[in-house]
Amino acid sequence: MKLSPTRLALLLGLAAVLLVVAVVISPMLLITMPSFLSDGGTTADCTDTADVEQVSDSGASDIPENYLGLYQEYGKKIGVQWTILAAVGKRETDHGRSDLPGVKSGTNYAGAAGPMQFLISTWGGKARIPMSSTFNGYASDGDGDGVGDVYNPADAILGAAKMLKRNGAPENVRRALFVYNRAWWYVDQVEEIARRYAKSGEVELPPQASEDCDDPLVEAAPSDVVAKILAFALAQRGKPYLWGGTGPDAYDCSGVIYAAYRAAGLAIPRTTFGQWPFGIKVSAGQEQPGDLVFFNSGPGTSPDSPGHVGLVVSKGKMLEARCRLCGPIKVTSYGSRTDRVGFTRPLQNPDVQEQLKRLQNPTL
């Protein structure tokens, strides 16, 4: 097709304008372009998104305001996805709005009660328990009145968060939900509700220091020795917990730390009870990668004799082998753990200082 001089001039002028726009805009695109586009691939998100998940419009319209606040508060406090908590509340009793037996009083045919439908035996043996009493169960005092009331939404939601955490959440949500109600169709339904409640449309999972996230952690280590400790410990991620285990196929909490230090050429005590007094105490907030964080957890333990330990890999994050029912060795958060008793730095123990000198100068 032959163009008239007028049309040709218009087309040339338009091309010139587009060229100028492209030249001006393209540097801005390079500056603002997300990293997953700029390098032609995807990059791992190694940040913790658990605290930034927002509620969807459908979630905001469906969840009563007081329940939404409780799901979000206790999800964050205990360290489980609030969307999963809310989905359990929806699936069990429509956030306490159901008039079926056992929701507001009594129990249902299975012996469950309250907005989160705890079995009374799982709650602690009775529906209302003074928190000063001794009991075995998930009875909790969410509203601070001194009583764990299975019919009180604050108490019940806090108890449900603890139960989900105990059984694998936030990392292994499906396993935690299966323990809550032993049916895979129930797990599927709860996850679907949770996705609808999340603005992202997904059930957020915490970063697990995957291989894509390991390098930054190791590179940020304060010394080459700590880098070796972290590299070994992170490589054990995904292996099972085994009481008394020191590898190579399974570990307990202190065993994986003992092995990680040994991989760096250092000898420290084998057990948690031995590791606690061994390291130099470090104030909270001053801990750094390679330090140990201890918890008043496990039989026969106390604040002066903690029974669980994790390895600090970055501020707020630790690698831990927690328990047989808690899933495999993984990276978790220690900031929200209420049973934390303190930090230590084994590298400042005089014996370890001597070992470091010999590593640096084998002729000594």
Side-chain angles (χ1 to χ4, degrees), residues 43-49 207-210 212-214 216-217 317:
T43 58
D45 182 5
C46 302
T47 59
D48 193 342
T49 59
Q208 287 302 298
S210 67
D212 293 327
C213 299
D214 285 354
L217 292 175
K317 298 290 183 183

Side-chain angles (χ1 to χ4, degrees), residues 7 34 39 43 102 156 182 188 195 197 213 250 329 351:
R7 178 169 294 183
D39 63 8
T43 58
R182 294 182 178 276
D188 294 338
R195 284 190 286 269
Y197 283 165
C213 299
I329 297 171
D351 289 344

Side-chain angles (χ1 to χ4, degrees), residues 215-247:
D215 288 345
L217 292 175
V218 174
E219 290 169 1
S223 69
D224 290 342
V225 170
V226 174
K228 291 178 181 179
I229 293 170
L230 296 188
F232 179 91
L234 291 168
Q236 312 315 306
R237 187 185 56 254
K239 293 183 179 180
Y241 174 92
L242 176 65
W243 187 83
T246 54

Side-chain angles (χ1 to χ4, degrees), residues 275-293:
Q275 291 172 1
W276 169 244
F278 181 79
I280 303 303
K281 300 295 187 295
V282 178
S283 299
Q286 300 301 310
E287 73 275 11
Q288 62 186 26
D291 291 347
L292 308 187
V293 52

Side-chain angles (χ1 to χ4, degrees), residues 85 116 118 123 155-165 180:
L85 267 179
M116 303 303 281
F118 272 96
W123 185 253
D155 296 355
I157 292 170
L158 176 56
K162 291 178 178 178
M163 185 174 185
L164 291 169
K165 180 74 172 181
Y180 202 98

Side-chain angles (χ1 to χ4, degrees), residues 232-274:
F232 179 91
L234 291 168
Q236 312 315 306
R237 187 185 56 254
K239 293 183 179 180
Y241 174 92
L242 176 65
W243 187 83
T246 54
D249 300 321
Y251 300 85
D252 64 10
C253 64
S254 57
V256 68
I257 294 171
Y258 170 79
Y261 270 77
R262 188 174 57 186
L266 301 173
I268 66 172
R270 160 65 186 87
T271 69
T272 305
F273 297 115

Side-chain angles (χ1 to χ4, degrees), residues 7-279:
R7 178 169 294 183
L8 180 60
L10 287 173
L11 289 175
L12 290 174
L14 178 61
V17 171
L18 292 175
L19 180 60
V20 171
V21 171
V23 170
V24 172
I25 296 295
S26 58
M28 296 174 62
L29 289 176
L30 291 174
I31 293 172
T32 60
M33 185 182 300
S35 60
F36 69 88
L37 291 177
S38 62
D39 63 8
T42 58
T43 58
D45 182 5
C46 302
T47 59
D48 193 342
T49 59
D51 292 341
V52 300
E53 179 63 83
Q54 297 179 346
V55 62
S56 66
D57 291 341
S58 62
S61 63
D62 183 49
I63 306 171
E65 185 176 352
N66 63 321
Y67 272 73
L68 177 59
L70 293 170
Y71 294 137
Q72 292 178 325
E73 176 184 356
Y74 293 127
K76 181 177 181 179
K77 178 178 180 179
I78 302 303
V80 302
Q81 297 91 336
W82 75 262
T83 51
I84 290 293
L85 267 179
V88 170
K90 174 66 175 180
R91 178 60 184 78
E92 295 291 351
T93 67
D94 192 21
H95 309 300
R97 291 179 291 218
S98 172
D99 292 324
L100 291 173
V103 177
K104 299 177 177 65
S105 63
T107 63
N108 67 7
Y109 69 93
M116 303 303 281
Q117 289 293 277
F118 272 96
L119 294 173
I120 293 298
S121 59
T122 304
W123 185 253
K126 53 185 178 180
R128 295 179 176 86
I129 299 176
M131 298 309 293
S132 59
S133 63
T134 300
F135 64 93
N136 291 317
Y138 289 99
S140 303
D141 181 15
D143 61 358
D145 65 356
V147 176
D149 185 346
V150 76
Y151 304 107
N152 182 309
D155 296 355
I157 292 170
L158 176 56
K162 291 178 178 178
M163 185 174 185
L164 291 169
K165 180 74 172 181
R166 173 65 177 78
N167 290 302
E171 295 84 12
N172 196 339
V173 173
R174 290 184 62 82
R175 183 188 183 285
L177 290 172
F178 184 80
V179 175
Y180 202 98
N181 188 338
R182 294 182 178 276
W184 289 114
W185 57 261
Y186 175 88
V187 174
D188 294 338
Q189 289 182 5
V190 170
E191 283 197 320
E192 178 57 33
I193 296 169
R195 284 190 286 269
R196 294 203 306 266
Y197 283 165
K199 194 166 187 178
S200 66
E202 298 293 337
V203 175
E204 294 287 347
L205 296 175
Q208 287 302 298
S210 67
E211 292 181 1
D212 293 327
C213 299
D214 285 354
D215 288 345
L217 292 175
V218 174
E219 290 169 1
S223 69
D224 290 342
V225 170
V226 174
K228 291 178 181 179
I229 293 170
L230 296 188
F232 179 91
L234 291 168
Q236 312 315 306
R237 187 185 56 254
K239 293 183 179 180
Y241 174 92
L242 176 65
W243 187 83
T246 54
D249 300 321
Y251 300 85
D252 64 10
C253 64
S254 57
V256 68
I257 294 171
Y258 170 79
Y261 270 77
R262 188 174 57 186
L266 301 173
I268 66 172
R270 160 65 186 87
T271 69
T272 305
F273 297 115
Q275 291 172 1
W276 169 244
F278 181 79

